[in-house]
Amino acid sequence: FRRGFVTTPSDLLIFLFTLVLLGCSSSTAVQQQAIVVDAGDPSTFKEPPKSCALTCPVSGCAENGAPYVCPALAAWDSLPHESTCADWDGGAPAVEATKCTATAASGDAVKYAGPDPDDATKVILPDGRRVTPAGSISYFREMDLEGGEAYSLLPVPSSNWILVVDAGYGVHAVLAVDRTKIGTSSDPVASYVKYPAPKTLNSAAVLVGTSTVLVASDDGVVEALDFDATKGTLTEDDAKSIPLPESVDDNNNKANWYVSGLALSPDGSKLVVTSVFDKRLLVLDATQAGWGKQLGSATLPNAPTQQAAFDPNDATGHFVYVTEQGDRKLLEVDVSNAAAPAVTRSWGTDKNPWGIAFLDARWIAVANDFGDTLTLVDRTANSATAVPVDSAVTLHGEEPTALAFDAPSHMLWTTLAGANAVAAWTVDTSQTPPALSPAGRLPTPWWPTGVAVLPDGSVAISNMRGPSSGTDPTQYPIGSGNPDRGPMFGGMQIVAKPSAADLSAGAAAVATNDQVGALAGAPTVTCPHGENDFPLPPTNTQGPSKHIDHVFFIVRENKTFDALLGDFKGANGAPSLTMKASTVDMDKLWLDFRKAGRQFAISDNYYTSAEVSVQGHVWTVFGRSFDFDERAWFLTGYGGRQVYDNPASQPQGIIPTGRPAEGSVFDWMAANHVEYDVYSEGLGLISAPMVNGHNPVHLDVPGGPTQGQIGYPDVERACYEAAHVRVFCDVGNFVYALLPNDHTEGVGMSTPSPEAMVAVNDDATGIFLDAVSHSPIWKSSLVVITEDDPADGGDHVENHRTPVLFVSPWVKHGYVSKQHVDVSSVHKIFAHVFGIPYPNEIVANAALPLDLFTSTPDYTPFTHEPRQWPLSCGVEPSVNLAEGALSASWGDVDDVDEQPGLGDQVWRAMRGLPATAVTPTMQRQMDESARLVRGRVHVNHVK
């Protein structure tokens, strides 16, 4: 296919889906003859020479004894060039003396993630933000749950009990929490019921009577539990679990019903059930005589739905209200005739309506997650009014989700998932629309998910990600209780009835916590009077950089900082945690990456807030995460669950409800007229608009435009990109490229060894850097190379710490930055280089690593060193039954990170310590694989 084949967003989406459905994700390349290039014909460079480096067996591969040769790296004057290429003699501009200088970071700006060493009340998150939870906090550390995510909370009336739905990567559970023990040394969890994978819970829960709890699931049932409020005992009650009709999945194939909303009528006679994928609303009998019987159903305009709720001000239960995200609406459904429920009215909202709160018999408030607004719905005048969550903030990223209204105090509360806070407004319903006066905020732990006001005025808050993961002194596996996920237990926060002063102080604390770029000790730039030649402008409003106009963002796969750079001189590393035991082997295997790290600049205080690739690519493409991503990543195959079954992509960043309102980095560049190119990335490409007629999508990139083929040799990708830099000279000002081979495919009979894949990935990294630095645009280029997530290796600082490399004439050479930065900081660099508005609030508040840059350029190019590590394939199962059995249990290795035990196996291979017998952990990993290979598992609870 030629560039330009895709002309519309729908064309691209159909094409990307077709690539996968047609089986384009074969994991190995077939050896072919090298492409013959003509030194006088640029078109012969369109397709790079084929590589056989990752084809097994390697005995017939010429690259087994000689390195891959990329013709596009030939001397500039020996290459043919398109007319788009500048005249260049191969030299560099004269170096001018320094005029502007940046200070080194210090103080708060250089603190590493984890507990603040100077303030025991603070935790520093991987993204640099601080969390200082108000009131009392406890984290749920029931170890047999492997770490979960507290999705929602349900206070039990006339008691101190709060029920929590805990979901996430590990075992799902419903917990009974004693609020009086929150913040004490006692475990507040009195009891819990576990739902191991593939069973899957969702956030909705209702209490029927005083002792029956109903919980949403993806298992084709509404799960039922008995609760004894005198003892705080929860017991699973399958006899009361309510079977639901057959439903559909995200591909409209037959599947279990995936419950989103649950609502119990005020008289307790009817239960309303809505779905994530199914457009039907069900009305079920909740009386003892007809328990669970379907009384009727209504077809809603669209799906997914989020919350369903009856108005507590209407004892008749005539209507139920549903937030419907597919069409951005609040729906009113008449269920007075349960046999024939019907949608009666709807009101438009902003993107992704989530929580519902009833202010009185007339007014309803709706929280719009991606819209960063509240919608006030007037049922009398049949109208709706949008109100910004924060009128002073014009960017997206705060993400209001759950709502609670405290009628006695006229106070409306919402979780702000993206700001680690809950916000409060005083409500005056005597005005039309009601006046919402900001009352303040309360700081929470990482990612609040639910809020409720208790009878005494206390505020209860559930949170998803806990206090961060902390250090990990050992390697950890992908997909098997990864310590990067395991210690990230969610929790519960109780704040005694806050005063006006508490809320005002809380708002100030939240603002301070989130302003990472304003931390004391952040680098500053000083220029002589009248001069302004610093290559990275200190603001994004004074125009683009005078020295940098090309930015290359290279994303690789799955490594911690210590795994790759733990033995680097001048860095805060742990040599015991490098992937290879010796520095000699590390330098040979990661030859070009480590060479570039020593020549140019790295940071030893850089993080991603992702744990797995689905999240990692969201961060690299969007510069932030969001509530959909945090709640859905484990439903795409991790931990043995596969709720989202779309074969072409993960839902984050792809489906409309999984895509932030501001769009991707590609939308951002296009909106600001920055020409860009995308080499292999599925997320964010739904729109991919052209800029100045420049088509950014490379459908012919080796390995495919969506990453897809983990095992396709990265050297071909890099050589293809090198030709566009040095022969066609048609790259945009912003280039995003994937080099995924270092993900590896584990140790198997027909797959290349982890070392071979890493070596090929490193070779490709060197080819790319050589191409850029031996081109006319080198003098004005910046290359940023990082990993999408830290899911290989351990880290002695914090498990989200990952390598990042800055390559440019305009960065300090041989420099190790100590400033705390993260993926959003990299996106902030993009904004300052191009002088464009920030895409979202997270990027706007991020730290800016000015200290990495210098006004005195060093134009010394990077020279690629061809791969030295020998090629090899994995072991025969007959040679190592244990490792062979684990590898054989995996399905398609191109389903990123859906290989339970892969990280563990890669570590053993790198360290020369293969398992000699299948351990219980490996057996659990193989069982998990079996569930994934079978695809969606239908769990039948019908008795």
Side-chain angles (χ1 to χ4, degrees), residues 229-543:
T230 61
K231 302 177 181 178
T233 304
L234 280 167
T235 308
E236 188 172 13
D237 192 342
D238 272 353
K240 289 184 182 176
S241 291
I242 301 174
L244 300 172
E246 190 175 70
S247 185
V248 295
D249 62 13
D250 55 329
N251 281 325
N252 207 37
N253 296 321
K254 292 181 179 179
N256 292 336
W257 187 289
Y258 185 14
V259 179
S260 55
L262 289 176
L264 187 69
S265 62
D267 64 0
S269 66
K270 296 188 289 284
L271 177 71
V272 170
V273 181
T274 64
S275 171
V276 175
F277 301 126
D278 201 308
K279 293 182 182 181
R280 289 173 294 172
L281 174 148
L282 306 180
V283 181
L284 307 179
D285 194 331
T287 66
Q288 186 174 358
W291 180 258
K293 178 183 176 182
Q294 181 173 323
L295 301 174
S297 69
T299 299
L300 306 181
N302 209 336
T305 63
Q306 183 58 254
Q307 185 172 345
F310 283 93
D311 185 351
N313 302 290
D314 179 10
T316 67
H318 196 109
F319 299 103
V320 68
Y321 296 86
V322 178
T323 46
E324 188 254 277
Q325 295 182 334
D327 288 334
R328 306 183 189 185
K329 291 179 179 178
L330 175 70
L331 306 177
E332 179 185 74
V333 183
D334 186 346
V335 294
S336 58
N337 179 0
V343 177
T344 49
R345 290 188 291 179
S346 66
W347 300 272
T349 66
D350 278 342
K351 191 168 188 180
N352 280 24
W354 212 100
I356 299 171
F358 297 90
L359 306 181
D360 59 19
R362 176 179 179 181
W363 293 98
I364 301 175
V366 177
N368 304 304
D369 175 24
F370 279 161
D372 290 290
T373 61
L374 305 178
T375 297
L376 299 178
V377 173
D378 184 345
R379 288 175 284 177
T380 299
N382 199 28
S383 63
T385 304
V387 178
V389 167
D390 188 340
S391 59
V393 175
T394 59
L395 299 174
H396 291 289
E398 295 204 312
E399 297 208 56
T401 51
L403 283 176
F405 181 61
D406 182 37
S409 65
H410 303 283
M411 191 82 75
L412 178 66
W413 295 85
T414 185
T415 53
L416 299 177
N420 300 325
V422 293
W425 294 266
T426 55
V427 180
D428 182 358
T429 54
S430 67
Q431 300 186 45
T432 302
L436 300 185
S437 302
R441 297 183 174 188
L442 296 174
T444 69
W446 197 0
W447 217 272
T449 54
V451 60
V453 181
L454 305 178
D456 64 357
S458 297
V459 181
I461 305 159
S462 57
N463 73 88
M464 187 185 294
R465 292 176 66 88
S468 178
S469 64
T471 62
D472 178 19
T474 60
Q475 86 290 349
Y476 53 82
I478 291 175
S480 57
N482 183 338
D484 195 24
R485 307 167 204 163
M488 295 180 62
F489 292 88
M492 174 70 67
Q493 178 182 10
I494 299 290
V495 183
K497 185 176 182 178
S499 65
D502 294 332
L503 290 168
S504 178
V510 170
T512 299
N513 289 344
D514 288 352
Q515 290 285 346
V516 184
L519 286 170
T524 58
V525 174
T526 302
C527 293
H529 179 69
E531 300 289 350
N532 184 15
D533 70 341
F534 199 71
L536 184 64
T539 73
N540 66 325
T541 58
Q542 63 191 60

Side-chain angles (χ1 to χ4, degrees), residues 42-76:
S43 68
T44 62
F45 286 77
K46 283 284 187 181
E47 185 179 355
K50 297 295 181 182
S51 170
C52 54
L54 300 183
T55 302
C56 289
V58 299
S59 56
C61 177
E63 294 169 57
N64 196 30
Y68 179 84
V69 177
C70 176
L73 293 190
W76 177 264

Side-chain angles (χ1 to χ4, degrees), residues 8 42 72 135 149 194-195 205 220 297 346 355 376 432 511 602 629 655 661 702 713 737 790 829 841 868 908 938:
T8 68
E149 299 180 348
K194 298 191 294 185
Y195 295 87
S297 69
S346 66
L376 299 178
T432 302
I602 67 168
D629 181 38
I655 64 175
I829 290 174
E841 189 175 359
Q868 296 178 9
R908 291 192 296 266
H938 293 256

